[in-house]
Amino acid sequence: SLIISLNLLLSSRYDFIFIGAGCAGLSLVMRMIRSGRFADKKILLIDKEPKTKNDRTWCFWEKQDGFFENIVYKKWTKLSFLSDEFSDVMDISPYQYKMIRGIDFYRYCFDEISKHPNVDVLYADIKSISFEDKTLSLRSTDRSYDLYSDVVFNSLSFPGNNKPAANIIDLLQHFKGWIIETPTAVFDPAIATFMDFRVPQSRGTTFAYVLPFSETRAMVEFTLFTKQVLTDEEYNKALGSYLDEVLKVKEYKVMEEEFGVILMTTRKFDFWSGNAFNIGVAGGQTKASSGYTFQFIQKQSEAITKCLIDNKDLHGAVDSSSRFRFYDRVLLDVLDKNRLSGKKVFSTLFKENKAQQVLKFLDNESTFAEELKIISTLPAIPFLKAAFNQF
């Protein structure tokens, strides 16, 4: 792998160019490398700056060891769900709930990429892109330049991409988390808190979750599904109140902080637009009703790699099933129109169904019969109204 300057790129040709070297771009490049089928192909990764910070955490669930298993920071087979309507500690086996830290992911990927001379890395602050006749035109903060490639993968969102149509619902899943250490043992490292709704719901769907690493160290996050983010002071106050009043943790030290915003939307994201393939969040791989992204990126990366190896049309690499997108739209409609509280929806889901079936459903891997069974456990009128509205 080579980190190169703009001047060296002006006449360069590549077989594959990746705009964005985040989770989606790196996941796909890593699969291409590990397949051993692309050593003769020139690959270029473009990103704003080197990935040197632990800027995010990905959580997901799966039954077997995954592609990035050896950098999983922590995993749990027991999840607790807590609300005043339903509380339980759920054994989710054979699923495991897993956590990967951003910095571990970046280091792992770039360490591997550095061993492959056919992969180049360019750091530039890209403001706009266009791709036509195999010419990729990029404009950065200080200049414009052209590159040449057969295939371009884009994982960045630019103004004008995926313009919303009428009647689009946009909710923000926003959260702030602290990694804390306590002087005494207060956590059970064998049980992760998946959702804790024992917090005020005045702003909308609001919950906390706790990922314990040991008896004295855990990530505690405060999460909302609303249209507007909070001030930093409001997040801090909510986290402090949750620790003090709900968890009864009085003494702790904040070791790290995390903040994020995820768009939960009914808008449609195109896999193919502007003569480039959109991957990751830019390609609609965020689950609209939950915000989970990591596993959907892995599924997409695996499908794209298989298409490339089999020399098949990449347009067929994306699951064309529309029913899960419809389910997502219906739930967002329920929450947006306040037809039913998020606390009520998720409490009912986990109270009336086995946790494994809910996780399978949220992973878009359930059968239609399984989906009907789950849907039948939810309050009919609010969801029928939302379904009619979205249909």
Side-chain angles (χ1 to χ4, degrees):
S1 177
L2 178 67
I3 296 177
I4 45 186
S5 68
L6 296 181
N7 291 332
L8 294 177
L9 277 169
L10 294 179
S11 61
S12 296
R13 296 179 179 273
Y14 289 88
D15 297 287
F16 303 98
I17 293 179
F18 289 79
I19 308 297
C23 183
L26 292 175
S27 294
L28 180 49
V29 168
M30 286 291 288
R31 277 176 168 76
M32 293 171 68
I33 288 174
R34 289 287 173 82
S35 73
R37 303 291 292 273
F38 300 91
D40 61 337
K41 303 296 184 183
K42 291 192 66 178
I43 299 172
L44 175 64
L45 275 165
I46 303 174
D47 209 301
K48 181 178 181 180
E49 58 190 5
K51 305 285 189 180
T52 59
K53 299 178 182 178
N54 188 35
D55 58 354
R56 66 196 63 219
T57 300
W58 291 291
C59 290
F60 55 97
W61 53 86
E62 59 187 349
K63 294 180 180 179
Q64 292 85 27
D65 288 353
F67 188 82
F68 291 104
E69 188 67 26
N70 55 349
I71 55 169
V72 170
Y73 186 73
K74 180 71 176 175
K75 50 190 173 185
W76 302 266
T77 56
K78 292 183 179 179
L79 299 178
S80 65
F81 183 96
L82 301 162
S83 75
D84 53 12
E85 299 183 15
F86 168 73
S87 292
D88 192 20
V89 175
M90 307 172 294
D91 186 338
I92 62 170
S93 56
Y95 284 105
Q96 292 180 317
Y97 193 72
K98 302 179 181 182
M99 170 187 168
I100 290 179
R101 302 191 314 157
I103 191 63
D104 296 336
F105 178 83
Y106 302 139
R107 287 172 179 167
Y108 178 75
C109 292
F110 281 106
D111 283 350
E112 180 67 29
I113 287 169
S114 68
K115 302 172 186 176
H116 298 269
N118 63 310
V119 184
D120 293 338
V121 182
L122 167 68
Y123 294 113
D125 189 4
I126 304 302
K127 298 301 182 183
S128 67
I129 60 172
S130 64
F131 184 51
E132 190 172 353
D133 296 328
K134 298 187 178 182
T135 300
L136 179 67
S137 298
L138 304 175
R139 183 172 63 83
S140 68
T141 52
D142 57 357
R143 66 177 298 172
S144 299
Y145 50 100
D146 293 332
L147 303 171
Y148 306 94
S149 179
D150 293 325
V151 180
V152 172
F153 293 105
N154 171 59
S155 59
L156 304 184
S157 295
F158 293 92
N161 285 11
N162 301 299
K163 292 181 180 179
N167 301 318
I168 288 295
I169 296 173
D170 282 340
L171 288 179
L172 300 177
Q173 178 179 155
H174 49 108
F175 50 88
K176 183 170 184 178
W178 291 340
I179 292 180
I180 65 169
E181 284 191 355
T182 61
T184 58
V186 295
F187 301 111
D188 183 348
I191 303 174
T193 300
F194 186 65
M195 284 180 160
D196 189 344
F197 281 98
R198 298 175 300 170
V199 293
Q201 302 292 307
S202 56
R203 293 186 176 94
T205 301
T206 309
F207 60 92
Y209 64 89
V210 182
L211 304 178
F213 310 141
S214 70
E215 292 181 339
T216 59
R217 187 178 177 92
M219 172 179 280
V220 182
E221 295 224 4
F222 185 77
T223 304
L224 304 96
F225 296 174
T226 62
K227 290 186 176 295
Q228 295 179 329
V229 299
L230 307 183
T231 65
D232 197 50
E233 181 180 354
E234 288 174 311
Y235 291 112
N236 291 340
K237 183 178 179 181
L239 280 165
S241 296
Y242 177 67
L243 284 163
D244 181 29
E245 299 172 13
V246 180
L247 297 187
K248 309 300 181 185
V249 176
K250 307 295 183 180
E251 295 183 58
Y252 57 89
K253 183 178 180 181
V254 179
M255 309 302 293
E256 296 180 38
E257 292 188 351
E258 176 181 271
F259 174 75
V261 180
I262 299 170
L263 178 63
M264 305 168 67
T265 180
T266 58
R267 75 181 71 188
K268 184 179 183 298
F269 290 80
D270 295 321
F271 178 50
W272 170 258
S273 66
N275 296 312
F277 293 97
N278 294 310
I279 58 176
V281 175
Q285 294 309 297
T286 294
K287 175 75 169 172
S289 59
S290 69
Y292 281 93
T293 304
F294 189 84
Q295 276 298 79
F296 292 100
I297 285 177
Q298 302 316 311
K299 293 174 186 178
Q300 185 190 54
S301 299
E302 185 176 359
I304 290 174
T305 303
K306 188 175 188 306
C307 279
L308 291 173
I309 291 173
D310 295 340
N311 199 28
K312 292 184 178 180
D313 185 359
L314 280 179
H315 293 83
V318 175
D319 180 14
S320 60
S321 172
S322 60
R323 74 178 192 275
F324 289 107
R325 291 196 298 272
F326 180 69
Y327 300 151
D328 290 338
R329 295 203 310 272
V330 170
L331 178 56
L332 288 181
D333 189 289
V334 167
L335 298 180
D336 181 64
K337 304 296 190 302
N338 199 28
R339 302 182 193 276
L340 204 64
S341 71
K343 181 176 75 171
K344 179 67 174 179
V345 171
F346 289 104
S347 295
T348 303
L349 275 176
F350 283 100
K351 180 181 180 181
E352 301 297 335
N353 302 278
K354 291 183 178 180
Q356 292 87 340
Q357 288 299 318
V358 177
L359 296 178
K360 187 178 182 181
F361 177 59
L362 294 176
D363 244 358
N364 293 4
E365 292 183 346
S366 51
T367 65
F368 186 58
E370 290 170 332
E371 292 148 26
L372 288 179
K373 185 176 180 180
I374 288 176
I375 292 169
S376 70
T377 65
L378 294 167
I381 293 178
F383 278 87
L384 284 173
K385 287 181 178 180
F388 179 78
N389 191 42
Q390 288 302 311
F391 185 77

